[in-house]
Amino acid sequence: MKARIPVVALALLLVASGCSAGSSASVASGPDTLSVGFTAEPASFDFTHADGAAIPQALLYNVYEGLVKLDASGHVVPLLAKSWTISPDRKTYDFQLQPGVKFSNGAPFTASDVKFSLQRVKTDWTISVKSAMDVVDHVDAVSPDHARVVLSKPSNGWLFSLTSRIGAMFSPTGVGDLANKPVGTGPYEVAARRRGDSIVLQENPAYWGRKPAYRTVVLKYIADPTALDNALLSNGIDVISSLTSADSIPQFQGDNRFTVVQGTTNSEVTLAFNNKRAPLNDTRVRQALTYAIDRKAVLDLVFSGRGTLIGSMVPPTDPWYEDLSKVYPYDPAKARQLLAQAGVKNLDLRLRIPNLPYAVSAAQVVQSQLTEVGVRTTIETLDFPAVWLKQVFTDHDYDLSIVQHVEARDITTFGKPSYYWGYDSRRVQQLLAEADSGTTEQQVADMKQVARQLNTDAAADWLFLYPNVIVAKDKVTGFAQNQVSESFDLTGLRPR
Amino acid sequence: MTVKVLRRVAILVVSLFVASIVVFLFMAVLPGDPAQVALGVNATPELLAKTRAEFGIDQPLVTQYLRWIGGVLHGDFGRSYVTRDAIGPQLLDRLGVTLWLVGAGMLVALVIAVPAGTFAAVRHRKPSGAGVSGLSQIGVAIPAFLAGIILVQIFAVQLRWLPSGGWTPPDQDVGEFLRGLVLPALSLGLVQGAVLTRYVRSAVLDTLGQDYLRTARSKGLLPGQALFRHGLRNASVPVVTVLGLQLATLLIGAVVVERVFVLPGLGSLLLDAVSSRDLLTVQGIVLVLVAGVLLVNFVVDVLYTVLDPRLRGS
């Protein structure tokens, strides 16, 4: 007992001194430091071997740069390539590179690094997105500031993919330990990482472009949405990169310490129909279900009405966007009529959803609305990602499912009959292929037709487009409203 | 006494072995393919097969188990399916955070329970004693995560005195480290303190009724003096037992509290690893936790004999 008393006293003293050390519990101190909160933490820094959105979100455009980048309105714009030309047969791309660019390890960036990086996707990457590089036939370093890429067939999708992680430029001298030591040409370098807590980015002093306004950015990883909100409310962070529930928006809007920025994403929350399985292989049944669901009501419940009703697999930031959200107005009578026409009675469907909040809330509305037109649904909640991926996505063991499709231009998945939609349309496949190889104008025209065809066939029910809601301290500005690239782009952020 | 300790060691080793098999089998029946989760939604069948082979999960279960346990015996917990990093050092790193949390929680609990329990026992016939007992009953009913949420609302969100979460290692900034530890330790410790208070109270109460205390008082010692000189050591035997058992609950409570306070401990690693089907990491964590609980029980058993000479002979 005698020994314990001083220990206790010491602890109390330390606790007390901790309390009086300062009244603000701020991690981010100083005007040139910024702290941004995210929900999903990168597994490693190596997006050539580990999948998941969190790694490019942190590193792309901030630490790694590509030849081109996707701006907030969805346009492909120059980055490490000053400009580029496309040959008349649309197979040869000539990129003129920015001069004077250096990797963070000091190595100069030249056309041979372009050749090295693009070829490496085919040979060394193990994740599935690497297939976007399959269309590349060969790469030539014509001169240090001129790289030429020759495709085996024309592909608009390829240039667009270059704005994603597969377009990231690496140095042969900087790929020794990708999982721990990223070496890129971007405005930031990785200075420190605490697994399960944070990643610290530090300004790259030799950056070729405009210097970022914040010299240090702390990326804080907080999986629990409430804890993330609390961190901002208690000065632990300066920005919430993306709010996952609308419930907490009012408390930030009503507080003049914060600003709320709202825009769009690429993330279609979709009610998937198993197009291969009877009776959902009947277009009339799918159309009936689409009429039966009040998507506005779903959006109101899931995200307080924030978000966009779209009606097809196209977000407004894609050039071929059209508002198709009103083609199937909420009409239970019409739904019943179509079901009767299709000769479907006592329909009982399995709605197998991931155990994620948006899916669970949306499923409740969908279930009750389908009940009104005489369709019984059993909701089964599956552990995401593991069980959902295996049973619904891989084994196609479902009738209905609800999931967010976050990838850019993932409308192309409707061109693969083996994809879990089970949607098989020769016309759509042909149009997608034509759009990929045609001119920009042809691409837009063809893609519009694809979207309309999917809508006509009711290939799925696009419940809504997930909103991009950023909450930040009032002093931070420069956010891109729309989250359309894979990156959480820090380069435009600045103090007010 | 040596024989007794040796027998305990043997039990410990066998328990750990059985636990490792159970943990492994649980992982094997968990649905979901780690390779699919690691590769993402566009994975091709070829890539999936290649990754399964790389992870070794295409092998028979017995081979997988032997490979795993063989590595663990050499201190090698394998490489994570998700991060491809060695699991051992990662476990050690996270264990450090959890031990700080559990240690600080235990300290808070003892600081509350020993004086409060003794007070409640000595004054058990008075309203003040009954009041302390009543308060401890309420404390027992509050789960640690709820205590955490309430503490965060008051001290972080409203008053902004302390961080709402996050972790600063002590070697980086001792002040920030302590500030970050206060709320999690309190939410874990308050509840545990309430539980322990009841045990301390009944243990002290028990001791107060013993003949030797009456003897001590008849020699002229005040009740308090008699209790401190002769009673507390005896009262500590049942309390140490409970402390051992509570340490296991504390570990489990820590898993939840780590989530609430975003602490990079074993608990948050466990949750992440389960959801990403990082099975080797899950196996490693669960084995470490099980080993921790078994070890605590072992230490408690040994401590018994040290604290109470009467138990040595039997």
Side-chain angles (χ1 to χ4, degrees):
Chain A
M1 278 331 280
K2 270 178 198 154
R4 190 177 285 150
I5 290 160
V7 172
V8 168
L10 181 69
L12 284 175
L13 193 72
L14 287 173
V15 167
S17 70
C19 289
S20 59
S23 61
S24 91
S26 171
V27 171
S29 49
D32 50 10
T33 297
L34 185 75
S35 181
V36 186
F38 296 86
T39 42
E41 186 187 3
S44 79
F45 288 138
D46 183 4
F47 53 58
T48 74
H49 284 91
D51 199 24
I55 318 176
Q57 188 175 49
L59 299 187
L60 197 65
Y61 305 166
N62 300 324
V63 173
Y64 288 112
E65 292 180 315
L67 296 175
V68 286
K69 123 178 208 178
L70 199 63
D71 73 5
S73 45
H75 297 113
V76 179
V77 296
L79 190 55
L80 287 175
K82 277 194 302 189
S83 62
W84 61 92
T85 54
I86 306 171
S87 66
D89 67 358
R90 303 194 67 80
K91 286 191 347 196
T92 306
Y93 287 71
D94 283 280
F95 293 98
Q96 302 299 324
L97 308 182
Q98 284 285 354
V101 176
K102 280 194 164 69
F103 285 97
S104 59
N105 67 359
F109 166 73
T110 65
S112 62
D113 298 308
V114 177
K115 183 177 166 122
F116 168 76
S117 303
L118 298 187
Q119 285 181 341
R120 202 169 169 278
V121 177
K122 282 188 174 184
T123 54
D124 283 41
W125 288 42
T126 59
I127 60 167
S128 48
V129 292
K130 73 179 214 158
S131 60
M133 204 56 84
D134 290 350
V135 67
V136 172
D137 186 75
H138 63 275
V139 185
D140 293 324
V142 182
S143 71
D145 57 1
H146 179 186
R148 175 176 293 156
V149 181
V150 180
L151 307 185
S152 54
K153 62 177 174 61
S155 172
N156 293 312
W158 174 74
L159 186 67
F160 183 80
S161 296
L162 272 197
T163 66
S164 74
R165 68 191 101 170
I166 69 159
M169 288 296 135
F170 296 87
S171 163
T173 58
V175 292
D177 187 9
L178 285 178
N180 299 300
K181 291 200 172 49
V183 175
T185 61
Y188 289 101
E189 303 172 61
V190 174
R193 112 166 277 201
R194 261 181 263 143
R195 266 196 206 286
D197 184 80
S198 58
I199 292 170
V200 180
L201 300 181
Q202 201 79 47
E203 182 192 6
N204 170 6
Y207 184 55
W208 61 276
R210 216 184 77 180
K211 280 187 173 306
Y214 294 100
R215 300 187 64 178
T216 308
V217 179
V218 182
L219 311 176
K220 289 280 284 179
Y221 294 98
I222 303 176
D224 181 62
T226 316
L228 189 60
D229 292 350
N230 286 338
L232 183 59
L233 289 167
S234 63
N235 285 337
I237 55 174
D238 301 309
V239 180
I240 293 177
S241 62
S242 172
L243 218 59
T244 51
S245 94
D247 300 342
S248 53
I249 295 176
Q251 69 175 328
F252 292 115
Q253 270 181 332
D255 190 330
N256 59 17
R257 287 181 293 161
F258 307 109
T259 38
V260 178
V261 178
Q262 188 184 330
T264 64
T265 62
N266 281 324
S267 184
E268 303 93 354
V269 177
T270 306
L271 172 66
F273 302 138
N274 193 343
N275 281 258
K276 271 219 173 82
R277 196 182 267 193
L280 290 165
N281 55 1
D282 185 331
T283 309
R284 290 169 300 183
V285 176
R286 297 194 304 269
Q287 286 173 333
L289 299 188
T290 310
Y291 277 119
I293 291 162
D294 182 358
R295 287 171 290 278
K296 179 75 174 59
V298 177
L299 179 57
D300 283 348
L301 183 88
V302 179
F303 222 103
S304 304
R306 287 162 192 273
T308 319
L309 301 178
I310 42 177
S312 191
M313 197 76 173
V314 185
T317 43
D318 279 342
W320 39 87
Y321 169 77
E322 285 179 291
D323 183 3
L324 300 173
S325 65
K326 294 175 185 75
V327 179
Y328 297 91
Y330 176 53
D331 190 346
K334 180 106 183 193
R336 276 188 220 102
Q337 190 192 334
L338 276 166
L339 284 173
Q341 272 177 27
V344 172
K345 273 184 222 141
N346 303 324
L347 195 53
D348 200 342
L349 299 173
R350 289 197 303 159
L351 174 51
R352 311 194 79 201
I353 55 167
N355 60 337
L356 301 171
Y358 71 88
V360 175
S361 328
Q364 312 287 335
V365 190
V366 167
Q367 184 182 44
S368 81
Q369 292 181 335
L370 290 184
T371 311
E372 277 182 40
V373 298
V375 176
R376 272 190 312 278
T377 46
T378 322
I379 298 178
E380 294 170 32
T381 313
L382 308 177
D383 193 16
F384 189 85
V387 182
W388 185 88
L389 267 184
K390 173 84 180 96
Q391 301 193 354
V392 175
F393 190 82
T394 309
D395 296 346
H396 304 188
D397 180 15
Y398 79 106
D399 298 316
L400 308 171
S401 184
I402 295 174
V403 82
Q404 276 189 58
H405 286 260
V406 297
E407 272 144 9
R409 303 198 176 170
D410 42 14
I411 187 172
T412 52
T413 54
F414 284 96
K416 296 180 210 159
S418 62
Y419 202 72
Y420 87 114
W421 314 117
Y423 177 79
D424 191 354
S425 157
R426 185 65 64 78
R427 180 176 144 80
V428 163
Q429 287 154 30
Q430 213 162 8
L431 283 169
L432 282 171
E434 268 177 42
D436 195 32
S437 59
T439 61
T440 315
E441 295 75 32
Q442 274 174 308
Q443 187 189 18
V444 172
D446 288 342
M447 292 304 279
K448 275 187 177 165
Q449 290 202 53
V450 171
R452 284 185 209 152
Q453 186 67 50
L454 295 178
N455 178 282
T456 307
D457 290 345
D461 189 6
W462 295 273
L463 297 175
F464 64 92
L465 188 71
Y466 212 78
N468 179 44
V469 180
I470 302 172
V471 186
K473 287 204 183 139
D474 197 42
K475 62 176 193 193
V476 191
T477 64
F479 295 100
Q481 269 199 324
N482 302 325
Q483 180 61 48
V484 289
S485 72
E486 287 190 301
S487 156
F488 188 85
D489 194 341
L490 299 165
T491 56
L493 304 188
R494 58 190 178 273
R496 187 179 293 279
Chain B
M1 180 156 163
T2 321
V3 176
K4 210 174 159 187
V5 171
L6 281 178
R7 198 163 60 207
R8 291 282 167 207
V9 171
I11 294 174
L12 180 70
V13 170
V14 173
S15 313
L16 274 173
F17 177 65
V18 174
S20 74
I21 293 177
V22 173
V23 168
F24 178 81
L25 287 179
F26 265 122
M27 293 306 118
V29 298
L30 208 61
D33 179 356
Q36 172 93 64
V37 176
L39 289 173
V41 292
N42 299 317
T44 57
E46 299 78 47
L47 212 50
L48 277 173
K50 199 176 141 208
T51 308
R52 281 194 202 105
E54 190 195 331
F55 290 169
I57 49 178
D58 54 349
Q59 304 284 320
L61 280 184
V62 179
T63 317
Q64 288 187 49
Y65 173 77
L66 290 177
R67 193 183 288 172
W68 175 60
I69 202 69
V72 169
L73 289 175
H74 291 92
D76 175 13
F77 284 77
R79 280 182 181 278
S80 156
Y81 295 160
V82 177
T83 66
R84 320 268 168 140
D85 283 346
I87 295 168
Q90 175 80 349
L91 284 182
L92 215 61
D93 197 36
R94 299 293 190 109
L95 185 63
V97 175
T98 303
L99 287 182
W100 272 115
L101 177 59
V102 170
M106 193 53 112
L107 190 70
V108 170
L110 283 172
V111 167
I112 295 169
V114 173
T118 313
F119 179 85
V122 173
R123 317 202 64 170
H124 70 282
R125 283 191 227 281
K126 309 235 169 67
S128 55
V132 171
S133 297
L135 270 180
S136 73
Q137 291 289 354
I138 296 172
V140 170
I142 299 174
F145 79 88
L146 188 62
I149 290 169
I150 294 169
L151 287 172
V152 166
Q153 276 305 320
I154 298 173
F155 293 102
V157 174
Q158 297 303 325
L159 297 171
R160 277 174 243 146
W161 286 355
L162 293 164
S164 64
W167 177 257
T168 314
D171 53 356
Q172 190 176 320
D173 185 337
V174 179
E176 277 304 314
F177 162 72
L178 286 171
R179 281 163 49 78
L181 197 58
V182 173
L183 292 183
L186 277 180
S187 42
L188 204 55
L190 285 177
V191 180
Q192 288 304 315
V195 175
L196 274 183
T197 300
R198 296 162 68 213
Y199 285 102
V200 172
R201 178 181 176 272
S202 65
V204 172
L205 216 54
D206 211 36
T207 315
L208 284 175
Q210 301 290 327
D211 291 342
Y212 61 83
L213 267 196
R214 216 174 302 139
T215 314
R217 287 190 58 191
S218 69
K219 288 195 298 184
L221 288 177
L222 294 169
Q225 287 174 320
L227 187 63
F228 275 104
R229 293 216 187 139
H230 302 282
L232 279 189
R233 186 181 166 113
N234 285 297
S236 66
V237 175
V239 173
V240 165
T241 320
V242 173
L243 219 57
L245 292 172
Q246 287 301 310
L247 210 58
T249 352
L250 219 55
L251 265 177
I252 293 155
V255 172
V256 182
V257 168
E258 279 171 19
R259 188 71 169 182
V260 174
F261 289 98
V262 203
L263 302 177
L266 276 188
S268 43
L269 183 64
L270 181 65
L271 287 177
D272 289 346
V274 169
S275 73
S276 58
R277 286 300 181 271
D278 195 353
L279 299 187
L280 268 190
T281 304
V282 178
Q283 279 168 220
I285 299 167
V286 176
L287 195 66
V288 166
L289 288 176
V290 169
V293 171
L294 290 174
L295 211 64
V296 167
N297 284 336
F298 168 75
V299 170
V300 167
D301 278 343
V302 175
L303 264 185
Y304 263 175
T305 42
V306 175
L307 278 171
D308 193 341
R310 282 171 300 178
L311 292 173
R312 277 177 208 164
S314 56

